[in-house]
Amino acid sequence: MTPGRERGLTALLCAAGAGLALLAGGRPWATVKAEDAITPFSQHLTGHDLGGTATALALAGLAGLAALFATRGRVRSGVGVLIALFGAGVVYGSAAAVQRAHVLSVAGDRSALLKIGAHPALDVNLWWMASVTGGVLLVAGGLVAAARGARWPGMSARYERDGAPASRPAPRKDAASGAPEQDPSALWKSLDRGEDPTSRDAGREPSEEEPGAPVAGEPDARKAGDPAAPRNGRP
């Protein structure tokens, strides 16, 4: 299996675990019935009503899932450890939420009738187990990311090249001589100065120290047609 595919399957595993925990958090986990109360009643308590710890940790697991794609190396392995811890928290929070004492305490806070000499019956369904399963999937995905995440590829390389200065192309070389090709504009300038374009120094800008270079403010004798004027520093 390629590292990219392994990363995708691990992300899918974490997303499935977090999604299952979030789905289960909105469903009834326990039902409290008080038949011998002054006014018989029944309460349905969801995972959110019983604390919402599992739901909050599942949301944190989703945030960690996004960080798996934005990080790399050891940082990604650390994110995997955090996801595994979030999953373990979902498992613990789900199991603690359906304890009898906790459920009756929450139900009593929602209805004063439960506290007036009633002996309520407690019925816990299997939705809390779905939340536990989601937490186990998060733990598994987080451990895989912690163990192998450093080998996975990062984000697409095209995002890393954005803003990088473009490299200047190297000058082409003449196939016959191996020397760099002359700039066409430099050849036109040499013709303007009256130089022979087939000579070795054609296309080279005259420097200030070069004999025969025209001085600023003085007329160029070669352009005036003076045959005695030196050309390219040679009489």
Side-chain angles (χ1 to χ4, degrees):
M1 182 183 298
T2 61
R5 181 173 297 180
E6 187 178 62
R7 181 188 65 177
L9 290 177
T10 303
L12 183 62
L13 183 65
C14 293
L20 185 58
L22 291 173
L23 174 66
R27 298 296 187 273
W29 286 15
T31 301
V32 178
K33 295 181 180 180
E35 300 292 345
D36 57 348
I38 298 177
T39 302
F41 70 96
S42 177
Q43 285 189 20
H44 300 284
L45 301 174
T46 66
H48 299 161
D49 297 332
L50 295 175
T53 302
T55 301
L57 291 175
L59 288 174
L62 281 180
L65 174 61
L68 281 181
F69 291 91
T71 57
R72 63 174 61 195
R74 294 183 179 179
V75 178
R76 178 180 286 159
S77 298
V79 172
V81 173
L82 285 178
I83 293 177
L85 291 177
F86 293 150
V90 170
V91 173
Y92 176 79
S94 301
V98 294
Q99 297 299 314
R100 180 180 178 86
H102 178 70
V103 175
L104 293 180
S105 174
V106 173
D109 293 339
R110 293 168 64 90
S111 176
L113 294 176
L114 187 64
K115 300 180 179 180
I116 307 177
H119 299 282
L122 178 62
D123 181 23
V124 177
N125 57 36
L126 295 179
W127 274 112
W128 74 277
M129 286 297 299
S131 180
V132 169
T133 303
V136 171
L137 293 179
L138 273 177
V139 171
L143 291 178
V144 173
R148 304 183 62 84
R151 307 174 187 178
W152 296 344
M155 297 179 68
S156 177
R158 64 191 178 93
Y159 296 106
E160 299 175 1
R161 291 198 299 266
D162 286 348
S167 58
R168 184 172 297 176
R172 295 178 297 175
K173 292 186 176 181
D174 189 1
S177 62
E181 291 184 0
Q182 295 291 342
D183 186 4
S185 62
L187 293 177
W188 281 109
K189 291 179 181 178
S190 67
L191 288 173
D192 248 355
R193 293 192 298 267
E195 298 177 359
D196 184 4
T198 61
S199 66
R200 185 176 182 181
D201 295 332
R204 183 170 59 88
E205 295 287 345
S207 62
E208 294 181 0
E209 293 80 5
E210 182 182 358
V215 181
E218 294 183 3
D220 189 354
R222 288 172 295 178
K223 290 185 179 181
D226 186 359
R231 180 171 298 178
N232 291 336
R234 295 187 295 273

